[in-house]
Amino acid sequence: MKIKVCGMKYAENIQALTKLNPDFMGFIFYDRSPRFALTELDVDQTSNMPVHIKKVAVFVDENPEDIIHVCDEYKIDMVQLHGTESVEFCQKLKNAEFEIIKAFGIDDDFDFEKTIPYNEVVDYFLFDTKSQAYGGSGKYFDWALLKDYQLNIPYFLSGGISLENLNAIKKIDDNRLVAIDVNSRFEIKPGLKDIEAVKILINRVRDEF
């Protein structure tokens, strides 16, 4: 199981997290988010990050040309699309040689057939709890709904993941689940992670999963 820590913003916090070697580090480039990275993020921070930590940029219904420009500037490896982006939209970014994560907000009424058209244009899906804020809600959805997902594309699990529900995640018997994505449950304030809590998480996941 791999680990993505999302919503990073502050220089010292990014540096401290880097020392823990998460598999993915996420930066939110959605200007309505309290974790909007561009208010603090310096290009040097992402440019000099170890290559084994994949840098993920999160966007919501942004212009694809602007996404490509920002990701090139900040040396981003993966683009996470959290809005209503179409298959054609994803293909444009795929053609620009970024790995693509397409996120879907899940609730009891979600139809997993919505994922099918994206089968050829994404590298991963991310299943998060549906919210008006496009993530970071601290709430988790009913993980039993994952049984309705029929494709072979691997996915990240997000939404309210904490130290308290790791044992429940261990019970999800699905080899397509390749990473957990944590954010608000490990924060001191939006964009500032509790490094000691993240360290406990990373050690537990790597020891137990």
Side-chain angles (χ1 to χ4, degrees), residues 60-77:
V60 179
D61 294 323
E62 188 61 76
N63 182 290
E65 287 73 23
D66 291 341
I67 291 175
I68 292 168
H69 174 75
V70 169
C71 290
D72 284 342
E73 182 180 4
Y74 283 87
K75 310 301 181 191
I76 295 297
D77 304 300

Side-chain angles (χ1 to χ4, degrees), residues 76-87:
I76 295 297
D77 304 300
M78 308 176 74
V79 176
Q80 179 177 317
L81 301 171
H82 234 289
T84 59
E85 297 87 1
S86 67
V87 171

Side-chain angles (χ1 to χ4, degrees), residues 86-191:
S86 67
V87 171
E88 293 75 20
F89 190 110
C90 295
Q91 186 65 62
K92 285 184 181 179
L93 298 175
K94 191 74 175 166
N95 292 345
E97 300 185 347
F98 295 107
E99 287 188 83
I100 307 299
I101 304 171
K102 181 67 185 84
F104 286 93
I106 309 299
D107 61 12
D108 290 347
D109 297 320
F110 182 75
D111 183 358
F112 277 90
E113 288 198 3
K114 291 180 180 179
T115 63
I116 293 174
Y118 295 85
N119 190 39
E120 301 296 326
V121 296
V122 304
D123 297 279
Y124 302 92
F125 290 114
L126 181 144
F127 298 132
D128 195 1
T129 307
K130 186 174 183 179
S131 72
Q132 291 185 334
Y134 300 101
S137 68
K139 300 177 181 178
Y140 60 91
F141 64 92
D142 180 1
W143 295 332
L145 296 170
L146 293 168
K147 70 181 186 306
D148 295 328
Y149 173 55
Q150 300 299 318
L151 300 179
N152 290 320
I153 301 291
Y155 65 88
F156 289 54
L157 180 63
S158 188
I161 292 174
S162 66
L163 294 172
E164 287 70 35
N165 56 28
L166 282 183
N167 285 335
I169 294 172
K170 285 165 64 176
K171 294 177 182 177
I172 300 174
D173 184 18
D174 188 349
N175 59 15
R176 299 168 300 177
L177 170 54
V178 294
I180 57 172
D181 178 7
V182 302
N183 192 347
S184 59
R185 289 292 190 99
F186 290 86
E187 285 186 328
I188 297 166
K189 67 177 186 178

